[in-house]
Structure formats: C-alpha cells, structure tokens
Amino acid sequence: MPFYEEIEIEDMTYDAEEMLYWYPCPCGDKFKIPLEELWDGEDVADCQSCTLFVRVVYEKSDLQPLPEGFTVEEVDEGGTDDKDQDGTSSGD
C-alpha cells in the first residue's frame, strides 16, 4: 500500500476523550489511529473521507499510556497471534 506520507507521532495530536491520535489530511478531514492499535504495533492511519493513508513513526515510549482495563495484544510480524490465552501455541 502506498503511503501519502510518514508522520512522526510527535507531530500528531492526541485526543484523550476518543483515545486516538490524529493528523490533518489534505482533503480537509483527519488521519486517525486509535491508541490501542498503536500499542498493538499498528502504524497505519487512514482518512475516512478519502483514500489516503499515512505511516506513523513512533516508539512505544512516545505513546500515551493505555487506560486501566486495556491490554496490549502481542502480535508476530505476520500479523497473527500464535499464542492461546494460556501462552501455548495454537495447532500443537
């Protein structure tokens, strides 16, 4: 997927009420990515009004903390979680 731009997390605005980061899109709307997705390792923010995407460049230490009750889902590079809740691999 081609990206419109790479955006540093420091250049985005955090909306604490909606728990998401946003950045202005050239179409007039906003690129948005939820905090929870960032903690899960996602780095693509999209605009709901057009077809543009941006890659968000960040370190987890740059992120706002997740509120109590939220958990971080550890995902491998293939994009799937190979562990069951008890920590064993599925398909064994």
Side-chain angles (χ1 to χ4, degrees):
M1 146 185 359
F3 292 101
Y4 171 70
E5 197 172 346
E6 287 192 350
I7 306 294
E8 297 283 335
I9 194 80
E10 294 86 6
D11 295 331
M12 299 183 81
T13 300
Y14 181 66
D15 181 331
E17 189 173 304
E18 293 195 35
M19 291 184 6
L20 59 79
Y21 282 87
W22 65 269
Y23 187 80
C25 180
C27 78
D29 201 352
K30 300 173 184 173
F31 295 105
K32 297 177 183 178
I33 187 166
L35 177 61
E36 188 173 13
E37 287 183 18
L38 290 163
W39 275 104
D40 286 341
E42 297 293 325
D43 65 351
V44 178
D46 66 333
C47 175
Q48 297 295 308
S49 296
C50 70
T51 59
L52 297 178
F53 294 88
V54 293
R55 180 178 304 266
V56 181
V57 179
Y58 70 99
E59 298 291 326
K60 288 192 176 180
S61 60
D62 298 330
L63 299 176
Q64 296 290 323
L66 278 174
E68 217 171 291
F70 283 84
T71 58
V72 176
E73 195 176 298
E74 292 297 325
V75 179
D76 67 16
E77 288 187 30
T80 58
D81 186 356
D82 291 339
K83 302 276 184 196
D84 291 334
Q85 285 183 337
D86 64 0
T88 61
S89 294
S90 351
D92 284 340

